[in-house]
């Protein structure tokens, strides 16, 4: 009775204000911390300490504008567009591998130059496309989720093709997140548990082989297992991240006062932004970020659960798929920063510097808000 009353009260407002506050807090804190973490490198590389701040702010404005536009599109249209958007994402993954089109940095060819707009990273947009495609596929194949041939193999073949394109870049981190999204959506959509367990085991073996057969991945694992053995080589990034967390202690050294961001910690405004947060805002700041992500993921699953109760299966799986995506990527990034996982080259969603990732995350939030809005309209007896 109390749950129903709370649900009815929440339906009186057109949007989930708690979700929006969490998202805007993460985006705002990300903007502040990107500026703080990038001042030194921006001054050294571009002669302007605000270089990365201004670019991140422009990406944020673009992302929010696209999120607002996405929130105006009914979920049924997103379902109709899902296969087309997925094919466009795969095409971009192919284009980025073509010499002369794709742009290579430190041995990885993951970007397509767009002139003054910066570089497009297709794998970030593909994450959103996979959420939509996996949700649409699961709804269409709902009657075959117990079948290996009709339910499991087609999706497995598609994900194998996408995974191959990602590993050719190589982008192992994006591959891991996309696998998590596809698995999560299939499982939530009713995939036979025996098939699910078998797939997880096969993937675990595949991940081990990918690491074992790749010298640079083995080096990362070695650096992760004992970073202090080679603090100036394989363990350099992780040791400096751990030093940053250690300096921050409980309350941090103060906003803007990080030492590790001064050319010691590589990618401080990208992959290792959490380490700078830990140094400047301390354990309290890190726990606040973790709590905000936990709330965001919980709200995504709750919105999906509400949609499922109304038999809006595609919308439910999209909302939960977004929860899996943001939760998995945040977990992997935080794990790499804290030394719990090997470094993966993944940004912290909604916070780290990076145009493609920030825009894709904002688009996902726009879809989530739309699904929640439609849920609330239906609960008030109106058309979605």
């Amino acid at each position: 009775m109390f749950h129903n009353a709370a649900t009815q009260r929440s339906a009186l407002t057109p949007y989930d204000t708690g979700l929006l506050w969490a998202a805007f807090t993460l985006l705002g804190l990300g903007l502040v911390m990107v500026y703080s973490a990038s001042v030194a490198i921006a001054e050294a590389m571009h002669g302007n300490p605000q270089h990365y701040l201004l670019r991140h702010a422009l990406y944020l404005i673009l992302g929010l504008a696209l999120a607002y536009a996405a929130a105006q599109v009914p979920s049924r249209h997103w379902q109709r567009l899902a296969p087309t958007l997925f094919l466009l994402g795969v095409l971009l993954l192919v284009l980025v591998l073509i010499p002369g089109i794709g742009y290579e940095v430190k041995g990885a060819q993951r970007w397509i130059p767009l002139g003054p707009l910066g570089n497009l990273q297709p794998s970030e947009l593909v994450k959103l496309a996979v959420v939509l495609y996996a949700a649409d596929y699961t709804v269409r194949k709902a009657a075959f989720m117990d079948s290996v041939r009709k339910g499991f193999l087609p999706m497995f073949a598609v994900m194998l093709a996408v995974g191959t394109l990602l590993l050719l870049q190589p982008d192992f981190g994006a591959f891991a997140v996309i696998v998590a999204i596809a698995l999560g959506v299939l499982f939530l959509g009713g995939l036979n548990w025996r098939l699910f367990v078998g797939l997880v085991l096969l993937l675990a073996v595949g991940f081990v082989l990918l690491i074992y057969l790749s010298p640079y991945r083995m080096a990362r694992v070695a650096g992760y297992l004992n970073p202090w053995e080679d603090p100036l080589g394989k363990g350099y990034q992780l040791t400096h991240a751990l030093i940053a967390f250690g300096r921050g202690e409980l309350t941090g050294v103060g906003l803007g006062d990080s030492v590790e961001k001064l050319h010691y910690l590589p990618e401080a405004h990208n992959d290792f932004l959490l380490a700078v947060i830990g140094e400047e805002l301390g354990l309290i700041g890190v726990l606040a970020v973790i709590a905000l992500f936990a709330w965001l993921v919980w709200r995504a699953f709750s919105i999906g659960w509400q949609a499922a109760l109304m038999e809006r299966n595609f919308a439910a799986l999209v909302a939960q798929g977004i929860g899996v995506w943001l939760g998995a990527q945040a977990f992997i990034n935080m794990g790499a920063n804290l030394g719990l996982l090997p470094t993966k080259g993944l940004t912290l969603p909604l916070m780290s510097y990076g145009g493609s990732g920030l825009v894709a995350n904002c688009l996902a939030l726009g879809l989530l808000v739309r699904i929640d809005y439609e849920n609330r309209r239906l609960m008030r007896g109106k058309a979605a």
Side-chain angles (χ1 to χ4, degrees), residues 5 37 72 83 109 114 156 161 165 199 202 221 251 260 263 275 299 310 333 358 361 372:
Q72 310 310 307
Q109 192 161 321
L114 297 179
F156 179 75
L165 291 172
L199 180 58
L202 284 173
V221 172
T251 58
E260 286 300 317
H263 305 291
R299 289 308 308 150
M310 299 184 214
N333 175 273
L358 188 60
N361 296 158
D372 177 57

Side-chain angles (χ1 to χ4, degrees), residues 105-166:
V105 177
K106 297 179 181 178
Q109 192 161 321
R110 304 174 185 172
W111 299 269
I112 297 176
L114 297 179
L117 296 177
N119 299 318
L120 172 68
Q121 189 172 359
S123 61
E124 294 294 341
L125 301 179
V126 169
K127 292 170 187 173
L128 178 59
V130 167
V131 169
L132 294 169
Y133 179 77
D136 177 56
Y137 175 88
T138 304
V139 170
R140 286 188 289 107
K141 299 281 188 177
F144 304 112
M145 285 293 104
D146 286 334
S147 169
V148 175
R149 185 173 63 86
K150 294 183 178 180
F152 169 71
L153 285 180
M155 189 65 174
F156 179 75
V158 169
M159 288 300 103
L160 186 63
V162 172
T164 301
L165 291 172
L166 288 169

Side-chain angles (χ1 to χ4, degrees), residues 324-355:
V324 171
W325 167 18
L326 297 179
Q329 184 163 331
F331 176 79
I332 293 171
N333 175 273
M334 292 176 183
N337 273 250
L338 293 164
L340 302 175
L341 295 171
T343 54
K344 287 286 187 298
L346 278 175
T347 57
L348 188 60
L350 303 172
M351 298 188 73
S352 291
Y353 176 80

